[in-house]
Amino acid sequence: MIYSRIVGTGSYLPEKVLTNFDLEKLMDTSDSWIRERTGIERRHIAADGETTVDLAEHAARRALDAAGLRPEDVDFIAFGTTTPDLVFPNCGVILQSRLGCRGGPAFSVETACSGFMYALSIADKYIRCGEAKRALVIGSETLSRITDWSDRSTAILFADGAGAVVLTPSEQAGILSTHLHADGQYKDMLYCGSGVSKGFGPEYKLAISMVGSEVFKSAVTLLGRAVDETLAANGLDRSAIDWLVPHQANLRIIQAIAKKLSLPMERVILTVKDHGNTSAASVPLALDQAVRDGRIKRGDRLLLEAFGGGFTWGSALIRY
Ligand code: COA
């Protein structure tokens, strides 16, 4: 049996940091309100001209270094993002040209905050069936470009960053299972209301719109089900999980999922305080941080999960 295995992780955050105190100067909000409702204290914002692929390239090179592979070795790129550099070519192709790896498939996946989970699941399948040998899986976003900085209900949440993993085939597990879902009935709960085909302009706002309380409730319910599904698919009890690596949208959502798993918060990788919600980048950013600081070790069982606009959501169980 062939599994795909994570052999390297990497991440990158833009230099500029925007704190809650900075936001207090821009809008009617407060550090204490943001911290109490979301757990966020600061976030990183891309510089003018710094793009989603710029961030991704740093993360990808770091992941490849960690894996001991050369950029030209990559034969498959799955790139989760909702904030692409261009309409086309897709971010995966632009990254491929920067890395100098030619010929293999390179594509982007546009499933909002669960973009990395979708990309990971697709790459895992290609490795398992033998059609990819060295896959780069990316989550990268410049959400600050689609943030309405006059809307205090969303501007406090979203941020920029990138994370990456490299997958190779292995007889040792590996990614044990992935689970993807979507329910388009919720499309109006969290969306960006403009686009190439729909149009731009005042009636089609290029900014994130959200019904925050509904998103919150649905995230807790649907991620809770995803956790159950993931454990059941592997015949495991919740005590089998060593680390939860959750989507970093809101500390209270993460606490609810940890409680469902009966996991103490010390076994949950948290970056939301310092990163805010970096959408598709949030899970690989958190994973990379915990691998590099030594918390996540080879052999640990990890549960990854993410939830985003659509709604879309997904999870993965991994023997690291
Ligand atoms: N600062 C201060 N007050 C704010 C505020 C801000 N940044 N944003 C909203 N408020 C106010 C509202 O205007 C409202 O005031 P009112 O009672 O006078 O009308 C009050 O705070 C409560 O607003 P509400 O939206 O009910 O707050 P909430 O407890 O639901 O928290 C979120 C709002 C956005 C933090 C919360 O709903 C949430 O995190 N939802 C999930 C969002 C998410 O994770 N999205 C991404 C998923 S991938």
Side-chain angles (χ1 to χ4, degrees):
M1 169 110 168
I2 294 294
Y3 294 94
S4 72
R5 192 149 183 262
I6 297 177
V7 291
T9 64
S11 61
Y12 181 77
L13 291 158
E15 262 173 46
K16 182 179 170 187
V17 173
L18 191 69
T19 66
N20 292 349
F21 297 106
D22 296 326
L23 287 174
E24 283 182 357
K25 293 175 201 139
L26 298 175
M27 61 194 73
D28 180 16
T29 190
S30 67
D31 171 60
S32 59
W33 193 96
I34 302 171
R35 269 191 292 112
E36 277 161 28
R37 305 284 174 125
T38 71
I40 301 169
E41 293 183 16
R42 60 188 68 81
R43 70 286 288 142
H44 291 251
I45 302 292
D48 287 347
E50 192 174 33
T51 71
T52 293
V53 176
D54 291 336
L55 307 185
E57 185 181 351
H58 290 292
R61 289 188 185 278
R62 287 174 183 177
L64 287 163
D65 272 352
L69 291 172
R70 296 169 308 168
E72 56 270 35
D73 295 332
V74 172
D75 65 1
F76 186 97
I77 299 179
F79 195 126
T81 189
T82 318
T83 46
D85 287 23
L86 301 171
V87 174
F88 74 89
N90 73 71
C91 285
V93 170
I94 302 172
L95 180 63
Q96 195 196 47
S97 85
R98 300 259 190 104
L99 296 176
C101 46
R102 301 170 67 186
F107 58 92
S108 59
V109 185
E110 188 197 347
T111 52
C113 297
S114 53
F116 176 79
M117 301 308 304
Y118 270 66
L120 185 74
S121 179
I122 298 165
D124 172 54
K125 305 277 184 295
Y126 269 81
I127 297 242
R128 280 179 188 236
C129 76
E131 288 193 20
K133 300 276 185 243
R134 289 165 304 272
L136 194 51
V137 185
I138 306 281
S140 183
E141 301 278 13
T142 46
L143 284 183
S144 58
R145 304 270 152 72
I146 56 165
T147 297
D148 176 353
W149 291 100
S150 67
D151 176 5
R152 68 178 182 170
S153 68
T154 54
I156 57 155
L157 299 173
F158 298 103
D160 304 336
V165 303
V166 180
L167 300 180
T168 58
S170 166
E171 279 173 21
Q172 258 184 317
I175 295 181
L176 297 165
S177 70
T178 62
H179 308 271
L180 302 180
H181 295 282
D183 190 341
Q185 291 208 41
Y186 295 105
K187 66 183 174 46
D188 299 328
M189 296 291 113
L190 178 55
Y191 64 97
C192 178
S194 69
V196 176
S197 190
K198 185 100 176 165
F200 294 92
E203 71 276 38
Y204 304 118
K205 204 165 103 182
L206 182 60
I208 299 165
S209 296
M210 181 179 77
V211 185
S213 54
E214 288 306 314
V215 174
F216 189 99
K217 277 187 269 174
S218 298
V220 172
T221 308
L222 297 171
L223 285 175
R225 273 188 221 152
V227 163
D228 287 340
E229 176 191 27
T230 310
L231 292 173
N234 291 281
L236 291 174
D237 183 74
R238 50 195 180 171
S239 61
I241 303 302
D242 295 307
W243 295 102
L244 175 64
V245 188
H247 175 42
Q248 310 283 323
N250 182 309
L251 180 60
R252 290 183 297 142
I253 297 176
I254 297 172
Q255 284 167 333
I257 304 304
K259 194 168 165 205
K260 185 161 181 64
L261 280 166
S262 303
L263 262 191
M265 288 308 283
E266 301 78 64
R267 307 304 288 178
V268 180
I269 308 302
L270 289 176
T271 55
V272 66
K273 173 161 94 59
D274 299 317
H275 298 177
N277 181 347
T278 58
S279 185
S282 95
V283 169
L285 261 164
L287 177 65
D288 183 50
Q289 192 165 91
V291 166
R292 282 177 192 261
D293 68 21
R295 274 176 293 169
I296 291 180
K297 297 191 173 48
R298 283 285 166 209
D300 286 351
R301 268 206 207 97
L302 320 179
L303 200 157
L304 277 51
E305 46 86 340
F307 178 89
F311 294 138
T312 61
W313 65 101
S315 58
L317 190 77
I318 296 175
R319 174 72 87 171
Y320 183 70

